[in-house]
Amino acid sequence: MERYPFAHDPTLPFIPQVGEWVADVFYDILPEAGFEVRDEQIYMAFQLERAFAEKRTIFAEAGVGTGKTLVYLLYAVCYARFMRKPAVIACADESLIEQLVKPEGDIAKLAKHLGLAIDARLGKSPDQYVCLNKLDHARTQDEGDGLLFEELYEGLPDFVRSYEAMQTFHAYGDRKNYPQLSDGEWNKINWDSFQDCFVCAKRHRCGQTLSRDHYRKSADLIICSHDFYMEHVWTYEGRKREGQLPLLPDHCAVVFDEGHLLESAAQKALTYKLKHAVFEEVITRLLQGEIRESLAMLVDEAILQSEAMFEVLEGLCIAIPGSDRKRVEWNERLLKEVRRFRKVLDEIEEELVFEGGLFTLSEYQLRIVEEHLEMMQIALSLLEKPETLICWATESESGLALAIMPRTVKEVLQERVFGSPMPIVFSSATLSVDESFGYVAESLGIADYLSFSVASPYDYENSMQAVAPKWPSGVTLADKMAAAVKLLERTEGRALILFPSKDELQQFKRELVSYPACAGLRFRFEGDGEISHLIASFQEDEPSILCAVSLWEGLDVPGPSLSNVIVWSLPFPPQDPVFMAKRSAAASPYDEVDLPYMLLRLRQGIGRLIRSRGDSGYVAILSEEGNGLQASRTHIESVMPQGVKLQEALV
């Protein structure tokens, strides 16, 4: 295979040569294959040429139908081959990854029409794989689903259940391979952050481990989620200290598709999670060796102090309606327990320095314990300055878990991501608010960047009708259900209903049984199965209806299968500790936090309707917030595509 898809002259700068070839692709090669020439696409190509040539960050805001994905893929593949390192395409979530790599997706299109053999491999997040330890527990301890998980276990590759040396093996256990499992069932057997992979006896037979060996060898592209990329950034130094390979190999460029969502992924990756049961399991490993009595007594004291701290914490947790996160009311008593716990951990760390010199403990086990203690010390030390962080607690079968998240991620991102001399592309149809990129750039700490914005080439004025009903005396659930049923009857299904929260989706699902007009309609609900399988089924079953919480971005279903987008409520940020903290730090919480978040997400949701020139249909916003206040309605009108008027009733 030729290294480059064009005749490369090594005596001339490389990126301008890529630009000339890209121009040929969009002006000549793809039009000959039936693609249309898009001026917006060519404009974007010239803008990205500068970002790659100067190794700079660029905000590339391009509307639906501009073909932005094809542009960044062409530059990423060529640049990867020039640098002899893969480029990373980081998508907002796993469903967007599937959209990119599906058989009819953009990578497949380029490979087919340009005769390119593109080496694109998936680097999925750990929670997208079966955890063999959790599976063993579920199939033996779960009375309700034990048989289901036993059948799943029997379907694993033979080498998983064998203790013999592996002769042939392959990756397995991907969430996509189990479309029949609901999210609740999957969460019983998938990896989670409290699993200790470093000392797992099954790690070398684990599907997650085997998948990493595969995607690390990609020559062109590694496709992953924002969460996974930020996890790589955050764990990079720690994994090297532990003798582990970083999650991602050395790479030459990064594209953040739907880049306006990166901040939340960064915060999630930088979150410390503490749980008493995990700490006790880790610290008691020290008791397996021949240790001095003084250290053994400190281990027992640490376990008791951890229990005491979490007991006080449990009494200070306040439930938040509509959220599984509990707010923590910090007081001096809890801070005293934290300080006592830290003091015991300090003493253990001092003892371990001496113990390590005696060589009575396994060096590997000792390193794991030391890394865990260091992580806990960092996390607990942050609690001394509560104004710099966000905390919450969650309940599970194994006890209370405390999450500690930095209030801002700017410093880490500046140092470990944007401080690197490489091209970084933020791509989305919605990166700006009121024609400014400041909201996204400021939240990520990006001071120096290139930017451009191009509108969609589609004729929205003649292909989209938009309505936000005005309710005469306030809106009730019955009002919204009646309006939704009427809209669904109008298009005979063929609809996407977007909900801001899981609770609202479940409420809608429960209410449906009371509406006979919906009895003959086929509904699919996010959470009832693997998301890419639900999307494919929705697209293939034209009259069906897809109800979702996470598909405001990225869903690409052209054609009549999606002729109706119903926004159940305006997607304001949730009332959880993260956004509560953001609001408390803002001079004008509504204008600085709530409104920009809602408008960006609403623009994305509206963008699900028209995905090709032949598409047409309706967008309905069934939200009291947009109808009772004229100011809110004005904001909603401002994000409508050009030429689309927001009506009070469909005509």
Side-chain angles (χ1 to χ4, degrees):
M1 180 183 71
E2 294 290 337
R3 183 175 175 186
Y4 304 116
F6 55 86
H8 172 232
D9 185 346
T11 66
L12 297 175
F14 179 72
I15 295 300
Q17 295 181 69
V18 177
E20 292 177 4
W21 173 70
V22 170
D24 289 340
V25 168
F26 292 133
Y27 277 122
D28 299 321
I29 302 174
L30 289 184
E32 288 178 4
F35 290 73
E36 63 178 291
V37 176
R38 298 172 179 173
D39 292 337
E40 299 87 357
Q41 193 174 45
I42 294 166
Y43 176 76
M44 178 179 177
F46 285 118
Q47 297 298 316
L48 286 196
E49 179 179 333
R50 182 182 173 191
F52 276 84
E54 299 177 10
K55 299 181 180 180
R56 294 181 65 185
T57 296
I58 186 169
F59 289 111
E61 183 177 61
V64 177
T66 54
K68 54 185 174 292
T69 307
L70 295 180
V71 179
Y72 73 61
L73 284 174
L74 291 176
Y75 275 97
V77 170
C78 291
Y79 195 68
R81 295 182 180 184
F82 178 68
M83 299 295 291
R84 297 185 183 274
K85 299 176 184 177
V88 172
I89 311 296
C91 301
D93 56 38
E94 304 297 335
S95 64
L96 289 173
I97 290 175
E98 296 296 341
Q99 292 282 336
L100 188 61
V101 302
K102 61 185 179 181
E104 66 275 20
D106 288 325
I107 292 176
K109 289 177 184 176
L110 288 180
K112 175 182 177 182
H113 296 295
L114 300 181
L116 275 176
I118 300 175
D119 187 3
R121 308 190 188 191
L122 299 185
K124 289 199 168 187
S125 297
D127 61 4
Q128 294 296 304
Y129 290 93
V130 168
C131 171
L132 296 177
N133 287 327
K134 286 181 69 175
L135 176 59
D136 281 345
H137 181 270
R139 67 192 183 92
T140 56
Q141 303 297 322
D142 193 309
E143 295 182 1
D145 294 317
L147 181 59
L148 169 68
F149 296 133
E150 183 65 33
E151 292 176 352
L152 190 150
Y153 174 78
E154 293 298 328
L156 295 177
D158 291 339
F159 64 77
V160 177
R161 300 185 299 274
S162 171
Y163 290 96
E164 299 174 357
M166 293 190 295
Q167 301 300 317
T168 60
F169 56 92
H170 57 274
Y172 66 94
D174 186 336
R175 171 69 171 108
K176 189 179 179 182
N177 297 331
Y178 306 102
Q180 76 280 10
L181 297 183
S182 69
D183 286 354
E185 292 166 337
W186 174 253
N187 289 337
K188 292 180 181 181
I189 62 171
N190 73 323
W191 180 91
D192 62 56
S193 60
F194 294 109
Q195 303 306 309
D196 192 349
C197 300
F198 295 129
V199 295
C200 177
K202 302 174 183 178
R203 60 179 309 213
H204 296 298
R205 300 176 189 271
C206 171
Q208 178 191 156
T209 302
L210 297 176
S211 74
R212 288 181 186 164
D213 182 63
H214 174 69
Y215 71 68
R216 287 181 198 278
K217 298 173 182 176
S218 176
D220 294 330
L221 304 175
I222 297 176
I223 302 167
C224 65
S225 66
H226 290 178
D227 288 349
F228 191 62
Y229 188 83
M230 294 313 306
E231 186 73 14
H232 158 74
V233 170
W234 183 233
T235 61
Y236 182 84
E237 295 296 336
R239 291 181 67 86
K240 287 175 66 176
R241 285 197 303 270
E242 294 163 357
Q244 306 291 321
L245 288 172
L247 293 179
L248 291 169
D250 194 16
H251 47 278
C252 66
V254 185
V255 176
F256 293 113
D257 204 342
E258 303 298 353
H260 61 289
L261 300 175
L262 182 63
E263 182 191 14
S264 60
Q267 287 181 313
K268 180 179 176 181
L270 299 182
T271 298
Y272 295 95
K273 295 182 179 179
L274 308 180
K275 183 181 281 190
H276 170 72
V278 174
F279 169 72
E280 183 174 9
E281 193 278 329
V282 171
I283 200 70
T284 52
R285 293 175 186 172
L286 297 175
L287 302 179
Q288 297 172 8
E290 296 181 4
I291 61 174
R292 290 166 298 124
E293 183 179 358
S294 58
L295 177 56
M297 292 178 64
L298 283 173
V299 169
D300 289 339
E301 184 181 351
I303 293 172
L304 293 174
Q305 185 55 42
S306 174
E307 288 179 333
M309 183 185 74
F310 274 94
E311 184 177 342
V312 173
L313 175 67
E314 190 167 6
L316 298 173
C317 293
I318 300 174
I320 301 172
S323 175
D324 58 356
R325 296 174 175 178
K326 295 185 176 183
R327 184 161 52 91
V328 178
E329 288 286 341
W330 287 91
N331 62 17
E332 188 56 34
R333 182 188 174 194
L334 180 54
L335 287 175
K336 284 182 179 179
E337 296 295 341
V338 169
R339 292 181 188 122
R340 288 172 184 161
F341 191 29
R342 289 192 63 199
K343 183 175 181 295
V344 179
L345 296 183
D346 283 336
E347 293 174 0
I348 289 177
E349 287 180 319
E350 291 176 5
E351 290 282 337
L352 288 179
V353 173
F354 182 78
E355 200 74 39
L358 299 178
F359 303 103
T360 57
L361 291 171
S362 161
E363 181 180 355
Y364 183 72
Q365 290 281 8
L366 180 60
R367 188 165 69 244
I368 296 300
V369 174
E370 288 176 334
E371 283 287 335
H372 192 82
L373 293 181
E374 181 181 352
M375 179 275 292
M376 293 192 68
Q377 286 283 42
I378 295 173
L380 294 172
S381 68
L382 294 175
L383 299 176
E384 297 291 340
K385 298 180 179 179
E387 70 278 1
T388 66
L389 51 87
I390 305 166
C391 293
W392 68 86
T394 54
E395 291 278 4
S396 68
E397 294 181 0
S398 57
L400 195 70
L402 175 65
I404 304 169
M405 170 191 286
R407 190 177 289 267
T408 65
V409 294
K410 298 178 185 179
E411 293 79 8
V412 174
L413 291 175
Q414 286 171 345
E415 176 186 352
R416 303 189 187 185
V417 180
F418 304 118
S420 304
M422 67 177 176
I424 298 177
V425 179
F426 285 82
S427 174
S428 177
T430 55
L431 287 169
S432 65
V433 178
D434 294 332
E435 300 182 354
S436 169
F437 295 95
Y439 174 71
V440 174
E442 195 279 332
S443 68
L444 298 172
I446 304 173
D448 176 38
Y449 58 88
L450 304 171
S451 66
F452 70 90
S453 182
V454 292
S456 170
Y458 294 153
D459 180 11
Y460 286 94
E461 184 175 1
N462 294 308
S463 58
M464 175 188 290
Q465 289 189 52
V467 60
K470 282 192 174 181
W471 317 101
S473 55
V475 63
T476 65
L477 176 61
D479 291 330
K480 294 171 76 170
M481 289 296 301
V485 170
K486 186 177 295 185
L487 286 160
L488 293 175
E489 288 179 318
R490 184 164 189 158
T491 54
E492 298 179 331
R494 299 176 175 83
L496 169 69
I497 308 180
L498 293 170
F499 298 85
S501 69
K502 294 178 181 178
D503 286 348
E504 289 183 83
L505 182 149
Q506 291 301 325
Q507 183 185 49
F508 174 83
K509 187 176 182 180
R510 290 192 297 270
E511 288 293 318
L512 273 179
V513 297
S514 302
Y515 291 84
C518 294
L521 298 175
R522 290 184 292 280
F523 289 84
R524 290 179 170 85
F525 296 91
E526 182 176 351
D528 286 354
E530 193 271 327
I531 189 66
S532 65
H533 177 74
L534 288 175
I535 293 170
S537 300
F538 166 65
Q539 188 167 9
E540 293 165 3
D541 183 9
E542 185 178 310
S544 65
I545 299 152
L546 180 59
C547 302
V549 175
S550 69
L551 297 179
W552 295 79
E553 295 92 4
L555 180 68
D556 185 18
V557 180
S561 291
L562 208 173
S563 301
N564 190 350
V565 173
I566 300 174
V567 176
W568 185 253
S569 296
L570 288 178
F572 282 102
Q575 295 296 324
D576 74 357
V578 175
F579 284 98
M580 287 178 176
K582 286 190 173 188
R583 294 183 186 102
S584 66
S588 176
Y590 181 79
D591 292 329
E592 297 176 28
V593 179
D594 292 342
L595 188 61
Y597 177 96
M598 184 275 287
L599 292 177
L600 278 176
R601 205 153 206 224
L602 181 61
R603 284 177 64 193
Q604 284 282 357
I606 292 169
R608 297 315 98 209
L609 180 66
I610 307 299
R611 307 304 297 179
S612 68
R613 288 198 185 276
D615 287 353
S616 63
Y618 309 100
V619 169
I621 302 171
L622 309 180
S623 180
E624 58 184 338
E625 295 92 342
N627 304 284
L629 299 174
Q630 184 59 38
S632 294
R633 193 175 186 89
T634 301
H635 285 302
I636 296 170
E637 290 173 341
S638 72
V639 301
M640 287 293 145
Q642 187 173 3
V644 177
K645 303 296 183 183
L646 190 63
Q647 305 166 10
E648 295 179 17
L650 286 177
V651 295

